[in-house]
Amino acid sequence: MFTGITQQIGQIDHIEHRHDHTLRIGITTNQDYFSDSQVGASVMVDGICLTITSFEPHHAFFNIMIPTFKATIVNHYQIGESVNLEKSILATERFDGHFVLGHVDTTARVIQKKRLEETVYFTFLVADTTLMSQIVPKGSIAISGVSLTVINTSKDTFQIGLIPHTVTHTHLGTLEINDLVNIETDILAKYLTKGDA
């Protein structure tokens, strides 16, 4: 379980396509982010719940299975690319953001970016439009692991705004037109739409 509050920005420094068609990636950080980790621990990488397979204080490896490879943006990763990182929450920690599972539903593409005073506004085109019933104005959404509030929606798009803190503490501020992100809709919206089915 995660909150969608990014703790650290890491960089992809290893990409290995394995013989079993899985993917192995390595992530490095400027700080010793992984120093208190253990093999088997969960870390959310750009909204994807991944398991540490080996680590050092500044570096960790993760294996990515075929379903995750197909459903997320990991197949677009390049060496040096930034990723948002969050460790799974402890029961004793303060809970900010919203409940994020790390189970990516679909991807979305940036189709508009504009700045108004200190806020950066993004409009995203959703790959799987059947999920739009789970994306509502003033509702929560996780974009590449970052908990954000939806401003407005259309039949296949939604808009969010980034405050300066989010711009500087995640990699979302560097997004440009046509860039892809991982999307996880709010778990409460999932249950509500399931009940309507």
Side-chain angles (χ1 to χ4, degrees):
M1 184 71 70
F2 306 91
T3 67
I5 306 299
T6 297
Q7 299 166 333
Q8 183 84 196
I9 299 176
Q11 285 75 41
I12 302 290
D13 68 353
H14 179 91
I15 300 175
E16 178 187 350
H17 294 267
R18 314 190 85 174
H19 295 300
D20 59 358
H21 302 292
T22 62
L23 186 70
R24 186 173 190 245
I25 63 171
I27 297 174
T28 187
T29 60
N30 292 330
Q31 301 178 19
D32 57 350
Y33 181 69
F34 300 108
S35 60
D36 61 348
S37 297
Q38 58 185 3
V39 172
S42 295
V43 175
M44 190 164 66
V45 178
D46 269 355
I48 310 165
C49 180
L50 297 177
T51 300
I52 294 176
T53 57
S54 65
F55 73 96
E56 297 175 353
H58 291 267
H59 189 268
F61 281 107
F62 305 85
N63 289 350
I64 298 174
M65 302 297 102
I66 295 173
T68 302
F69 183 84
K70 291 181 176 179
T72 70
I73 63 173
V74 296
N75 55 323
H76 297 280
Y77 279 160
Q78 303 290 326
I79 298 296
E81 188 162 347
S82 295
V83 290
N84 297 316
L85 301 175
E86 181 189 352
K87 297 170 186 171
S88 56
I89 190 169
L90 300 174
T92 55
E93 291 181 320
R94 176 175 171 171
F95 192 97
D96 293 308
H98 73 280
F99 286 112
V100 181
L101 303 182
H103 302 159
V104 172
D105 294 302
T106 188
T107 61
R109 185 181 303 274
V110 179
I111 60 171
Q112 186 180 64
K113 178 181 181 180
K114 61 181 180 180
R115 180 182 293 273
L116 182 60
E117 296 181 346
E118 293 188 335
T119 303
V120 182
Y121 293 91
F122 286 95
T123 301
F124 294 93
L125 177 67
V126 179
D128 183 356
T129 57
T130 64
L131 294 170
M132 287 305 302
S133 62
Q134 301 173 11
I135 304 173
V136 297
K138 298 184 180 179
S140 296
I141 192 166
I143 301 178
S144 288
V146 182
S147 174
L148 294 165
T149 301
V150 177
I151 297 173
N152 57 52
T153 64
S154 72
K155 65 177 182 179
D156 55 6
T157 68
F158 68 92
Q159 184 187 53
I160 57 92
L162 302 183
I163 62 173
H165 179 87
T166 308
V167 170
T168 57
H169 287 78
T170 75
H171 71 68
L172 296 186
T174 65
L175 291 173
E176 299 295 343
I177 302 298
N178 289 323
D179 283 348
L180 291 171
V181 294
N182 291 320
I183 297 296
E184 181 184 331
T185 61
D186 186 7
I187 185 64
L188 297 178
K190 287 182 171 69
Y191 283 120
L192 286 172
T193 54
K194 180 67 174 179
D196 292 339

